[in-house]
Amino acid sequence: MPIAETSVEACPECEGQVGVESGIRVGEIVECPECAAELEAVGVAPVLLALAPEADEDWGE
């Protein structure tokens, strides 16, 4: 079984290093190991990370 290649990208929140697997898809969420921010892949060629949008609470409405 081949080992997945990873790239290292900068966290847009803290500029920490985030390892991203080569097969990441747009919309996937990864977590910054330094600040725990949830990051969304908004581009894949090249990989581009942005802060993931906060999920709105539904509260049954």
Side-chain angles (χ1 to χ4, degrees), residues 10-34:
C11 172
E13 182 74 10
C14 73
E15 296 298 319
Q17 294 183 344
V18 181
V20 179
E21 290 188 12
S22 62
I24 195 167
R25 295 181 182 177
V26 171
E28 282 191 52
I29 304 294
V30 295
E31 185 175 298
C32 175
E34 294 187 31

Side-chain angles (χ1 to χ4, degrees), residues 2-59:
I3 297 173
E5 292 183 30
T6 60
S7 63
V8 177
E9 305 299 327
C11 172
E13 182 74 10
C14 73
E15 296 298 319
Q17 294 183 344
V18 181
V20 179
E21 290 188 12
S22 62
I24 195 167
R25 295 181 182 177
V26 171
E28 282 191 52
I29 304 294
V30 295
E31 185 175 298
C32 175
E34 294 187 31
C35 71
E38 289 189 338
L39 308 172
E40 179 179 7
V42 294
V44 293
V47 174
L48 181 60
L49 300 174
L51 288 173
E54 294 289 326
D56 291 333
E57 293 291 330
D58 187 348
W59 299 100

